[in-house]
Amino acid sequence: TERQPDNPAGGVGLADGLARSGRMEEAESALARAGSLAPRLPAVYIGRAELHYQYGEWDAVIADADRALALDDASFQARLLRASTLVRLRRTVEAARDIERLLRDRPGHPSALMLEGQRLMMEGRPAEAVGPLEGAARGQTDDPGLWFALGNARAAAGDLGAARAALERALDLEPRF
């Protein structure tokens, strides 16, 4: 951004780096600047949604993801953020539409499969949740939270041996889990 201060994409990238280093106020400023330069750039709203997600500002995540999707209906990241937020808020019917689209656009994507598994668990359908969570675990073998979710789904579905194996895998990956 020093060489091209009027480059909104550079501002979005700068904001991401600042946010990752915990400099949230500066990240917000960089996104505001990028948004003033390019108010129709979906990446600005995705960046804002990601910041709000880190703060747990769920309504703001949904609003900014909606803005990004209004500008680019094919934005996987915006839809993923909105779906994840809707699942967190237990708005599973709304989340189902986004998750269906995510899986149609990228079949087998681990994050989308994880969301589908979480959604099904929240709806009290653990046996159905096992399949998506297994698919997510195959695609993201080093995520202890995913293995923990799979273990919980298997236990709730009555498969205690498989539940134990998944939970042991989670603990192998992160002993403090």
Side-chain angles (χ1 to χ4, degrees):
T1 59
E2 286 179 16
R3 283 194 240 156
Q4 296 179 342
D6 293 334
N7 179 343
V12 172
L14 174 62
D16 182 56
L18 291 167
R20 289 179 194 274
S21 62
R23 297 163 59 185
M24 297 304 202
E25 288 180 21
E26 292 171 84
E28 289 172 354
S29 294
L31 284 170
R33 170 95 171 117
S36 70
L37 293 170
R40 298 195 49 78
L41 182 64
V44 170
Y45 298 103
I46 293 168
R48 289 177 49 170
E50 288 172 341
L51 277 180
H52 294 305
Y53 196 94
Q54 289 179 28
Y55 289 133
E57 298 168 344
W58 308 123
D59 290 337
V61 174
I62 292 169
D64 280 324
D66 284 346
R67 287 183 190 102
L69 288 165
L71 295 169
D72 178 9
D73 187 55
S75 174
F76 188 85
Q77 185 62 23
R79 195 169 305 282
L80 188 65
L81 283 163
R82 185 171 70 183
S84 179
T85 301
L86 291 169
V87 167
R88 283 178 170 270
L89 296 174
R90 298 185 179 277
R91 291 165 54 181
T92 59
V93 173
E94 292 170 82
R97 291 188 294 267
D98 276 336
I99 295 167
E100 181 182 320
R101 171 74 185 267
L102 291 167
L103 290 170
R104 186 175 67 235
D105 290 351
R106 295 190 193 171
H109 191 279
S111 295
L113 288 169
M114 174 66 164
L115 286 175
E116 177 65 356
Q118 290 174 329
R119 181 187 73 80
L120 292 166
M121 285 293 290
M122 284 186 177
E123 292 179 351
R125 299 160 51 192
E128 293 173 61
V130 169
L133 291 170
E134 285 176 342
R138 280 192 300 273
Q140 207 166 343
T141 60
D142 61 347
D143 182 347
L146 181 50
W147 287 99
F148 185 76
L150 177 58
N152 282 333
R154 286 176 171 168
D159 188 351
L160 299 182
R164 180 182 176 143
L167 294 171
E168 287 174 351
R169 175 72 176 140
L171 290 172
D172 287 344
L173 291 167
E174 180 53 61
R176 296 171 297 187
F177 204 84

